[in-house]
């Protein structure tokens, strides 16, 4: 079912358009832009003339005002744009009249319009077929509904107007059209899956998802198609890639339906969750999808929810809030994905190491939030630095983990009381983790001795350790992999400042100087934002002067110097006074 042409043939004439394009006028909009007369392409030269014709044909049947046309043809129009538009319209009319015998472009009501019959434009034909499909669905004619959607979607040849240079046209008109096309694609894929065409959908959906990697309904359809085609590992990779894209571009996690689809694929019980439909009648001849385990099997499935087994109690969700803005860490997040491989039945443990102020803790927590759905039996978080700044003892932390993992558990009790010896408590933690899929974040680790008893012993759980130092003993003896975290690039540091302060708060030169004085370290940059927020009436240049004059005896690091500036003097007047009261140098 070629809902979207495969890469090697994308751009070829669509099925329905091939017939109509051979006679009279035909306009192609659902892919590369083109106008044909009797099957012969017209030579449309000039970016602005192409943008003019694309705007008018995209809005066929509607008068487009002169102001709208100028806005779409010229990204930044000058005073002469109105006269230049009239010249472009006159030349486009002459070209069309030469081949068609009529100018086609009509002037009306302070603008211009083009009227086309449905079969003269792939977009209009697409809409006609989609409407017919909906009417067929309303009558209960499911096969006709699926066939009409197939014919409509076969007209979509790739990114709409990809070869037309018109930023405003793409941001407004094309963006709305893409949403319309995607809604029809969702219905088309659903209809194909309902007919059991899973392998066909899996073969055709890839290019469309690649062009729209944030559109979750299509990604869900792709995962279902791959799963029912016996390609479970590919479906899991699709989810992992989507989660990374959403985190990097939107700072968001996948939605509930996509997460539930992931869990169904991971456990092998997807069809029992969403309804198998015709899938049961057309099973693949060779499947990699594991069957769900029964309760009397001796080895528990590592990916099953704790709430599905008696006595497991409350599922812990202890992660602190993630940072609102995480800039310049896309590569580090991708490396965490690669090393841990949260989609794997046996995820790995990692060490996130960065100097003070580099944001290793923020990175670990943000990544943990993005993969929380992969660990449905809980997410634990422990700050290994005590209130006095010293390291917490492993025994104390282990007892805390026992309480978290045992919360709400119905248990007969231990006749000898809870264990107190560190080795016994560590063994209890491993027992509680057995058969579970839990993510443990160990923040501010000081030594390998402090961390080792806290590492999970089972295969389904993993730990992310954040530290200022290289805990090489963990890397060598325990097999943890390392993700180094350093200062941001100057570009990313300025982007972080602009994101937190707003685009117009400070001039670019001042932002660059603030970033330089902050050592491009996220913590120092956030201190600078705190100072500027607390002193809205003062320019960034004043902060620059204060940091430059700060006595190096207060600390040689950018974080220490910035903290000293925050501690010194009043915080200013107004509603923000007293908003920030920094103490000693903050710890990353």
């Amino acid at each position: 079912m070629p809902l979207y042409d495969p890469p090697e043939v994308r751009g070829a004439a669509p099925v329905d358009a091939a017939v109509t394009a051979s006679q009279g006028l035909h306009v192609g909009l659902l892919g590369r832009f083109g106008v044909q007369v009797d099957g012969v392409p017209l030579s449309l030269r000039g970016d602005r003339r192409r943008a003019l014709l694309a705007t008018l044909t995209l809005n066929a049947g509607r008068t487009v005002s002169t102001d709208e046309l100028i806005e779409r043809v010229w990204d930044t129009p000058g005073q002469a744009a109105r006269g230049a538009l009239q010249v472009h319209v006159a030349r486009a009319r002459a070209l069309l009249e030469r081949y068609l015998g009529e100018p086609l472009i009509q002037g009306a009501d302070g603008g211009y319009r083009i009227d086309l019959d449905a079969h003269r434009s792939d977009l209009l034909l697409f809409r006609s077929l989609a409407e017919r499909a909906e009417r067929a669905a309303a009558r209960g004619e499911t096969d006709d509904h699926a066939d009409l959607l197939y014919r409509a979607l076969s007209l979509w040849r790739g990114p709409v107007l990809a070869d037309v240079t018109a930023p405003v046209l793409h941001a407004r008109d094309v963006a709305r059209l893409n949403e319309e096309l995607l809604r029809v694609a969702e219905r088309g894929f659903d209809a194909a899956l309902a007919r059991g065409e899973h392998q066909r959908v899996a073969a055709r959906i890839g290019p469309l998802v690649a062009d729209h990697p944030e559109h979750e309904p299509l990604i869900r359809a792709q995962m279902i198609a791959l799963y029912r085609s016996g390609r479970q590992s590919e479906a899991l990779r699709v989810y992992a890639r989507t989660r990374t894209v959403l985190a990097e571009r939107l700072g968001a996690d996948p939605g509930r339906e996509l997460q539930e689809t992931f869990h169904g694929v991971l456990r092998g019980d997807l069809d029992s969750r969403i309804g198998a439909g015709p899938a049961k009648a057309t099973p693949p001849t060779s499947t990699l999808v594991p069957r769900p385990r029964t309760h009397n099997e001796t080895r528990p499935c590592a990916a099953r929810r704790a709430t599905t087994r008696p006595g497991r109690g409350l599922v812990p969700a202890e992660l602190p809030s993630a940072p609102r803005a995480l800039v310049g860490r896309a590569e580090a997040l991708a490396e965490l994905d690669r090393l841990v491989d949260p989609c794997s039945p046996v995820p790995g443990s990692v060490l996130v190491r960065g100097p003070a102020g580099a944001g290793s803790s923020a990175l670990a927590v943000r990544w943990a939030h993005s993969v929380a759905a992969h660990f449905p039996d809980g997410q634990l978080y422990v700050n290994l630095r005590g209130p006095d700044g010293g390291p917490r003892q492993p025994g104390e932390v282990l007892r805390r983990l026992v309480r978290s993992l045992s919360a709400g558990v119905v248990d007969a009790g231990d006749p000898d009381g809870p264990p107190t010896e560190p080795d016994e408590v560590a063994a209890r933690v491993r027992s509680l983790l057995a058969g579970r899929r839990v993510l443990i974040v160990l923040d501010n680790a000081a030594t390998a001795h402090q961390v080792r008893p806290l590492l999970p012993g089972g295969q389904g759980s993993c730990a992310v350790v954040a530290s200022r130092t290289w805990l090489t003993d963990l890397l060598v003896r325990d097999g943890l992999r390392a993700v180094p975290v350093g200062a941001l690039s100057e570009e990313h540091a300025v982007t972080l400042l602009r994101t937190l302060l707003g685009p117009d708060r400070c001039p670019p030169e001042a932002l660059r100087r603030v970033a330089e004085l902050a050592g491009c370290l996220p913590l120092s940059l956030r201190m600078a934002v705190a100072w500027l927020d607390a002193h809205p009436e003062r320019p960034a240049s004043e902060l620059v002067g204060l940091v430059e004059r700060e006595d190096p005896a207060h600390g040689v690091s950018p974080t220490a110097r910035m903290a000293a500036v925050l501690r010194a003097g009043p915080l200013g007047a107004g509603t923000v006074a007293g908003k920030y009261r920094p103490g000693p140098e903050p710890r990353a």
Side-chain angles (χ1 to χ4, degrees):
M1 183 174 183
L3 297 174
Y4 211 63
D5 291 340
E8 63 270 15
V9 299
R10 284 174 67 181
V15 176
D16 293 86
V19 177
T20 58
S22 63
Q23 298 177 352
L25 173 70
H26 181 75
V27 179
L29 296 162
L30 303 181
R32 297 178 65 84
F33 178 57
V35 179
Q36 297 182 15
V37 177
D38 295 331
V40 178
L42 299 188
S43 178
L44 304 175
R45 298 178 180 176
D47 289 344
R48 288 174 180 167
R49 196 169 309 165
R50 289 170 61 81
L52 167 67
L53 283 171
T55 301
L56 290 173
T57 52
L58 196 65
N59 293 277
R62 181 180 77 85
T63 298
V64 184
S65 71
T66 300
D67 290 338
E68 285 183 83
L69 284 170
I70 290 174
E71 188 179 37
R72 284 153 178 76
V73 174
W74 285 270
D75 187 26
T76 54
Q79 294 181 350
R82 191 171 295 272
L85 176 66
Q86 295 175 350
V87 173
H88 284 296
V89 169
R91 291 178 177 174
R93 276 175 166 168
L95 174 68
L96 294 169
E97 187 171 14
R98 185 188 320 150
Y99 287 93
L100 293 173
E102 57 177 331
L104 196 63
I105 302 176
Q106 304 295 328
D109 300 327
Y112 300 92
R113 66 183 290 149
I114 287 179
D115 292 310
L116 294 173
D117 294 331
H119 65 284
R120 296 300 180 191
S121 161
D122 56 1
L123 172 58
L124 297 179
L125 182 57
F126 173 93
R127 287 171 172 164
S128 175
L129 291 167
E131 290 175 3
R132 290 169 57 189
E134 292 310 302
R135 290 196 296 270
R139 295 191 299 268
E141 299 169 355
T142 55
D143 283 341
D144 286 347
H145 173 247
D147 290 338
L148 286 166
L149 288 176
Y150 154 68
R151 291 177 58 197
L153 289 166
S154 68
L155 299 170
W156 192 3
R157 295 166 287 120
V160 174
L161 300 178
D163 58 337
V164 174
T165 305
V168 175
L169 177 66
H170 281 275
R172 298 187 181 177
D173 303 53
V174 173
R176 287 195 297 268
L177 176 56
N178 278 332
E179 290 300 318
E180 177 185 349
L181 294 170
L182 289 170
R183 286 194 297 269
V184 176
E186 292 170 26
R187 296 198 295 270
F189 283 121
D190 287 344
L193 291 173
R195 293 206 298 190
E197 298 175 349
H198 312 127
Q199 296 185 25
R200 205 171 186 185
V201 171
R204 299 302 191 194
I205 196 172
L208 181 54
V209 170
D211 286 337
H212 303 275
E214 301 165 8
H215 197 78
E216 295 189 34
L218 287 181
I219 295 160
R220 182 172 181 267
Q222 184 182 29
M223 291 178 65
I224 293 171
L226 289 169
Y227 172 85
R228 291 179 177 173
S229 299
R231 297 155 65 180
Q232 182 192 26
S233 59
E234 291 182 55
L236 294 174
R237 285 197 295 272
V238 167
Y239 180 84
R241 183 172 64 248
T242 301
R243 181 177 49 75
T244 300
V245 168
L246 292 174
E248 291 179 357
R249 298 186 183 182
L250 305 178
D253 295 328
R256 180 181 57 81
E257 288 190 353
L258 194 58
Q259 290 188 28
E260 289 179 352
T261 302
F262 160 73
H263 288 304
V265 173
L266 189 64
R267 294 181 173 86
D269 61 355
L270 177 62
D271 285 332
S272 66
R273 291 167 171 264
I274 63 175
K280 294 181 179 178
T282 57
T285 55
S286 175
T287 179
L288 299 178
V289 179
R291 64 181 178 86
R293 294 185 182 274
T294 58
H295 287 288
N296 59 357
E297 290 184 274
T298 56
R299 292 186 301 158
C301 175
R304 292 176 64 190
R305 282 189 183 273
T307 53
T308 64
R309 289 172 291 186
R312 282 303 193 190
L314 181 68
V315 174
E318 299 179 352
L319 295 177
S321 60
R324 183 168 64 89
L326 191 71
V327 176
R329 298 304 188 196
E331 292 185 4
L333 290 168
E335 185 67 359
L336 280 166
D337 282 341
R338 185 184 72 84
L339 295 178
V340 177
D341 192 5
C343 289
S344 169
V346 187
S349 294
V350 295
L351 168 68
V352 180
R353 186 270 169 186
S360 56
S361 297
L363 175 65
V365 171
R366 174 63 172 272
W367 181 85
H369 274 282
S370 72
V371 300
H374 295 260
F375 298 92
D377 294 321
Q379 308 89 44
L380 303 174
Y381 173 87
V382 181
N383 184 356
L384 297 181
R385 182 185 292 128
D388 60 353
R392 294 183 185 274
Q393 294 303 310
E396 174 192 355
V397 177
L398 285 166
R399 286 189 291 274
R400 150 81 184 280
L401 294 181
V402 168
R403 290 193 297 271
S404 294
L405 293 168
S406 304
V409 173
V410 179
D411 188 62
D414 190 332
D416 298 324
T420 56
E421 292 296 324
D423 289 345
E424 292 183 54
V425 184
R428 176 63 63 86
V429 170
R430 291 193 294 270
S431 297
L432 289 168
L433 288 174
R436 288 187 178 185
R437 193 172 176 87
V438 176
L439 173 64
I440 305 175
V441 177
L442 302 173
D443 199 5
N444 293 313
T447 65
H449 170 75
Q450 183 189 30
V451 172
R452 182 169 292 113
L454 310 177
L455 298 177
Q459 293 185 336
S461 300
C462 70
V464 177
V465 183
S467 178
R468 291 186 183 182
T469 59
W470 287 108
L471 306 180
T472 53
D473 205 30
L474 290 179
L475 306 181
V476 175
R477 293 182 53 189
D478 299 279
L480 272 69
R481 303 294 300 278
V483 177
V485 181
L488 299 173
S489 66
E490 181 180 297
E491 178 185 359
H492 284 139
V494 171
T495 300
L496 178 60
L497 289 172
R498 188 177 292 113
T499 299
L500 296 175
L501 291 169
D504 304 320
R505 176 67 171 84
C506 302
E509 298 78 10
L511 288 179
R512 282 194 291 271
R513 182 56 181 154
V514 170
E516 180 183 355
L517 289 171
C520 294
L521 294 169
L523 181 59
S524 302
L525 294 168
R526 291 176 185 275
M527 289 181 184
V529 170
W531 192 94
L532 291 168
D533 278 352
H535 302 79
E537 75 288 352
R538 301 183 185 181
S541 58
E542 184 172 342
L543 171 62
V544 169
L546 290 172
V547 177
E548 287 177 335
R549 293 193 299 271
E550 183 60 34
D551 187 351
H554 288 161
V556 294
S557 73
T559 302
R561 296 179 69 189
M562 196 68 71
V565 170
L566 274 174
R567 285 194 296 267
L571 292 181
T575 58
V576 295
K579 183 177 179 182
Y580 298 98
R581 298 288 183 187
E585 176 184 347
R587 299 178 175 90

